[in-house]
Amino acid sequence: MRILLGLLIFFGSWLILSMMLSQSLILPTPMETFSALVEILRDSTTYSAMLSTIAKGFMILGLIIAVGLPVGFVMGLSDKIYELLRPTVMIIQSVPVISWLALVIFMWGIGWKGPVLIGFLSLLPISIFTIVEGVRSIDRDLLEMVKVYRVPKIKVFKYVYIGSLIPFIKAVVDVSVGNVWKTVLVTEFLCGDRGLGVMISWARQYVDVPRIYAITLMAVGLGIGTERIAKKLMSLTTRRWGM
Amino acid sequence: MILKVEGLVKSFGNFEVIHHWNLTVEEGEKVVLLGPSGCGKTTFLRIIAGLEKPTEGKIEIGFERLGFVFQEPRLIPWKTVRDNLRLIEEDEGKIKTILELVKLNGFEDHFPSQISGGMKQRLNLARAMVVDPDFMILDEPFTSLDIKVKMEIMEDLMEIWEKRRFTMLMVTHDVKEAVYMGDRILILSKIPSKILREIRINFIRRDITNRDFLGMESRILRFMLE
Ligand SMILES: Nc1ncnc2c1ncn2[C@@H]1O[C@H](COP(=O)(O)OP(=O)(O)OP(=O)(O)O)[C@@H](O)[C@H]1O
Ligand SMILES: [Mg+2]
C-alpha cells in the first residue's frame, strides 16, 4: 500500500513538473515516456540489448567475487602483501573512468570487453578494502582458541573466517549490485556496441528524449530487481550459515 | 612431573609481570594459582600453552593433549553448540558423551546467543574435555557466574575429574574456588608477582559451608590481606 502511494507521489510530481515545463525535450510527461516504453518493448532487439547489459553486469559481479574476495582476503591476512598491493589498488581506485576508456578503446575498440573491464576496475578497490577490513576485524580470541587446539587451517577457514566475513561479503555484494548497472550503462554509452547504454546513445543522436527516459526506467527496474534478488539470496545463504 | 617451571620471568618491555616463579606439577594433581586481578595469571597460562614466550627461565612440559578453558567462553557465535565442538573433534560419539558429561545434552542445536552464561562456560569446558586432555588449564572460568551456578559447574567438574583424572592447573582470584578445586594452592603477590606461599588442602570439601572449609578460606583470606 505504502509502495503504491510512494509511486503515486513520484509519478504525480513528474507529471506536474513536466506539464509545468511543457518541454518534452527536457522532461517528457510520464505518458509520453510510457508510450515510448511500449514501443521499445515491442521491438525484439530491445531484449537482446537488455540481455547484453545483464550479461555484462553478471560478468562484472562474477569477476569482483572471483578476484576481489581472494585478493582482499590475502591482503587482510598478511601485512606484507597488503603493503605490496595497496598502491596498485589505490591507483586503480583513483584513475578517472575516462582514462580507462581511452585505454580500452585503443586496445579493443568498441565492444563488450571495455564495459566489463571498466566496471570491474571501478568496483574492485572498494571490494578489496571491504574484505581487508573484514579479515582484520576477526575476533583475535577465536583465532587464539583455534591455535591452542591446533585446528587445521582449512577448518579454521570454514568455521571462523567465512562466518566472520559474511557481513563484509554481503556489503561487497550490496555495493556492487547497487552500482554495477550505472557503470555498465555509462561505459556502454561510451564504448559499447550493444546494450541499454548503447540504446540511450542512439536515442540521444535522434534527440528522442522520451525514449531515453523509457530506457532509463528499464535500467531502474533492472537495478531494483537485482537488488531484491541479491538480498533474498544473501539472506538464504546467511541462514544456512546460521547467522 | 607433568609441568616444571624454573626461574620464570615475564616482562612486557620494561614492565615486569612475572617475577621468578618456580613450580612443579605432578600428574593427576589439581593446582590452583590464587592471585589478585592483573597479577599475570592469564599471562602465565598463555606461556604454558605456547601462546607467549617467557622472558627468562625454563619450562618443561610433559603433557600431550592440552585442554584450555578460557576466561571468556570464546565460542563461535554463528555455530551451534554441537558445531563448536565439531571444530575440535569430528567424532559424533565423543561429542555426545562430552555434552552429556557437562549436561548440555538437549542444547546441541542452540547457538551461543541462545544459552545462558553458565551454559556457555559449560561449553567452554566441554571443548577442553573433548580433546581428552591429560592437562587441563582453567583461567578463572567461573568468576563471572553467580555462586549457585558456579557451585553446580564446579561440582560437575569434580565429578568428571574423579572419572578422568587429568592434571588441572587453574588460576583464580576467588578464595572459595581455590579451596574447592585445589589440592595445592599457590598464593601470588601483586605485580610484579611472586609465588608467596604454598598451601596443601587435605580435607574433603564437598561442602563449602563446613567448618574446615570456612576455616581454610579465612586463613587464606587473612594471609592475602596482610
Ligand atoms: N601483550 C601484552 N602487552 C603488554 N602488557 C600486557 C600484555 N598482556 C598482559 N599485559 C599486562 O600484564 C599484566 C597481567 O595481565 P594478565 O592478563 O596476565 O593478568 P590476570 O592476572 O590474568 O588478570 P585478571 O585477573 O584481570 O584476568 C596486566 O597489567 C596487563 O596489562
Ligand atoms: Mg586473566
Side-chain angles (χ1 to χ4, degrees):
Chain A
M1 218 40 227
R2 288 238 183 93
I3 292 178
L4 276 181
L5 196 66
L7 285 175
L8 208 66
I9 289 173
F10 175 74
F11 286 108
S13 17
W14 179 1
L15 181 64
I16 292 166
L17 211 64
S18 60
M19 293 201 321
M20 271 162 54
L21 274 168
S22 73
Q23 272 189 313
S24 58
L25 258 185
I26 298 169
L27 184 63
T29 62
M31 286 80 82
E32 285 172 298
T33 304
F34 279 113
S35 68
L37 184 61
V38 169
E39 200 180 306
I40 291 171
L41 291 177
R42 279 216 190 107
D43 185 349
S44 65
T45 59
T46 305
Y47 297 96
S48 70
M50 188 128 150
L51 273 182
S52 166
T53 297
I54 292 175
K56 286 179 197 120
F58 278 101
M59 251 188 265
I60 292 170
L61 291 177
L63 281 170
I64 290 290
I65 306 249
V67 178
L69 300 196
V71 171
F73 186 70
V74 174
M75 282 173 74
L77 282 184
S78 151
D79 287 344
K80 271 200 198 115
I81 297 180
Y82 179 78
E83 288 308 327
L84 282 177
L85 295 185
R86 193 176 62 130
T88 311
V89 181
M90 286 187 63
I91 289 168
I92 293 177
Q93 193 169 30
S94 319
V95 171
V97 171
I98 213 75
S99 312
W100 292 125
L101 198 75
L103 181 76
V104 156
I105 288 179
F106 284 138
M107 264 186 344
W108 293 321
I110 58 170
W112 61 270
K113 287 187 207 156
V116 170
L117 181 71
I118 295 174
F120 168 60
L121 289 177
S122 62
L123 291 173
L124 184 65
I126 178 89
S127 310
I128 289 179
F129 287 132
T130 305
I131 299 297
V132 168
E133 184 97 358
V135 173
R136 288 188 175 164
S137 73
I138 289 174
D139 188 345
R140 306 260 141 210
D141 284 353
L142 282 183
L143 294 180
E144 199 177 270
M145 183 274 290
V146 297
K147 202 167 153 198
V148 167
Y149 288 111
R150 302 210 180 96
V151 181
K153 284 236 157 58
I154 296 181
K155 228 171 167 187
V156 175
F157 180 75
K158 263 173 59 183
Y159 278 70
V160 181
Y161 280 93
I162 292 188
S164 318
L165 288 178
I166 276 185
F168 294 86
I169 296 174
K170 246 180 168 168
V172 166
V173 171
D174 270 356
V175 169
S176 304
V177 167
N179 287 294
V180 72
W181 305 118
K182 288 177 232 172
T183 324
V184 169
L185 257 66
V186 170
T187 47
E188 280 177 346
F189 184 95
L190 295 167
C191 70
D193 60 345
R194 285 204 291 163
L196 295 180
V198 177
M199 281 174 72
I200 290 183
S201 131
W202 287 342
R204 188 197 60 125
Q205 277 170 36
Y206 293 111
V207 206
D208 191 345
V209 178
R211 196 174 162 90
I212 295 178
Y213 276 75
I215 299 166
T216 305
L217 273 187
M218 286 170 60
V220 169
L222 194 60
I224 294 175
T226 42
E227 212 173 316
R228 282 272 163 102
I229 293 170
K231 280 249 160 66
K232 268 268 149 57
L233 283 178
M234 290 306 284
S235 76
L236 281 180
T237 44
T238 42
R239 201 168 313 143
R240 222 196 106 217
W241 287 97
M243 290 177 80
Chain B
M1 179 285 302
I2 196 162
L3 175 70
K4 189 166 185 182
V5 174
E6 272 180 289
L8 175 69
V9 173
K10 177 69 189 176
S11 313
F12 294 105
N14 287 328
F15 180 54
E16 194 181 36
V17 176
I18 290 173
H19 179 78
H20 209 86
W21 288 14
N22 294 302
L23 74 125
T24 306
V25 178
E26 298 299 334
E27 221 161 298
E29 237 191 332
K30 304 192 292 290
V31 175
V32 177
L33 296 169
L34 175 64
S37 268
C39 77
K41 301 184 294 293
T42 300
T43 304
F44 175 66
L45 297 180
R46 288 169 54 83
I47 293 171
I48 302 301
L51 295 169
E52 196 93 59
K53 284 212 169 65
T55 309
E56 275 173 43
K58 217 171 77 183
I59 290 171
E60 276 174 61
I61 280 168
F63 56 81
E64 279 166 11
R65 292 171 312 278
L66 172 67
F68 199 130
V69 184
F70 297 93
Q71 195 160 359
E72 337 71 35
R74 302 199 184 183
L75 306 173
I76 304 178
W78 49 85
K79 291 287 181 189
T80 59
V81 167
R82 183 192 283 113
D83 284 348
N84 265 282
L85 294 184
R86 229 182 235 151
L87 172 75
I88 314 291
E89 172 60 63
E90 301 266 355
D91 188 326
E92 293 296 327
K94 274 192 191 159
I95 291 180
K96 193 162 174 284
T97 312
I98 296 297
L99 284 175
E100 271 163 25
L101 218 50
V102 301
K103 302 191 173 151
L104 277 177
N105 42 330
F107 294 93
E108 291 85 352
D109 297 318
H110 284 58
F111 288 98
S113 60
Q114 296 169 324
I115 59 178
S116 69
M119 289 160 90
K120 281 183 195 146
Q121 283 304 6
R122 281 176 182 272
L123 184 51
N124 189 358
L125 182 63
R127 189 175 49 201
M129 291 294 314
V130 85
V131 301
D132 188 20
D134 51 357
F135 195 84
M136 174 95 99
I137 285 176
L138 300 107
D139 189 356
E140 311 198 39
F142 316 122
T143 338
S144 61
L145 307 172
D146 68 62
I147 181 79
K148 190 149 172 294
V149 175
K150 178 193 292 196
M151 280 312 302
E152 282 167 8
I153 301 185
M154 287 203 298
E155 276 165 22
D156 290 342
L157 177 56
M158 284 313 232
E159 226 167 85
I160 295 170
W161 184 83
E162 292 293 339
K163 286 181 208 148
R164 305 214 167 185
R165 299 273 169 173
F166 38 79
T167 310
M168 271 207 280
L169 177 64
M170 176 165 121
V171 304
T172 183
H173 62 246
D174 184 302
V175 181
K176 230 185 251 316
E177 271 175 47
V179 177
Y180 189 85
M181 298 284 297
D183 300 328
R184 203 145 56 92
I185 300 175
L186 303 175
I187 302 178
L188 308 172
S189 70
K190 58 180 199 294
I191 213 161
S193 58
K194 292 184 282 274
I195 298 178
L196 293 178
R197 188 159 177 185
E198 180 177 316
I199 293 172
R200 283 189 179 272
I201 309 276
N202 302 313
F203 54 90
I204 300 188
R205 334 134 250 189
R206 281 295 176 248
D207 181 5
I208 61 164
T209 56
N210 87 12
R211 204 181 316 131
D212 284 344
F213 192 103
L214 293 173
M216 179 57 78
E217 194 184 348
S218 61
R219 206 183 118 201
I220 293 175
L221 269 175
R222 227 174 292 131
F223 178 80
M224 287 174 79
L225 293 173
E226 263 168 22

